[in-house]
Amino acid sequence: GETPTDVKERRIFCDSRAIQTAEDEKFVWQIDDESRAQRVVVTTGEAQESRTEILSGLSGGERVVVSPKADLKAGQRVKLRE
């Protein structure tokens, strides 16, 4: 017989202020190893308080820019706040 398995998927959440919208696309600015901003398109799920579930685009653990400036461009160096 088959044994039912209860697989708990690891859900990824991101600060809602990091999620930007351009045209019909949602994206975040991910900070790469050289402290540069890279635009990453994401698919969002449900929002909970100040966090929004990320269904695709991020795998968890990435650094993203929260409340980015409107003129932020891909490849631009980002100052990290500790």
Side-chain angles (χ1 to χ4, degrees), residues 12-56:
I12 298 159
F13 286 87
C14 177
D15 190 310
S16 299
R17 294 171 301 171
I19 299 165
Q20 307 298 302
T21 307
E23 289 139 27
D24 295 337
E25 210 169 58
K26 286 186 174 18
F27 67 93
V28 297
W29 289 106
Q30 181 179 334
I31 303 167
D32 68 15
D33 295 338
E34 295 173 353
S35 299
R36 293 184 188 279
Q38 303 298 340
R39 185 175 154 151
V40 178
V41 175
V42 295
T43 306
T44 56
E46 68 182 272
Q48 297 180 351
E49 292 163 26
S50 63
R51 291 149 48 90
T52 300
E53 185 177 10
I54 303 295
L55 301 174
S56 71

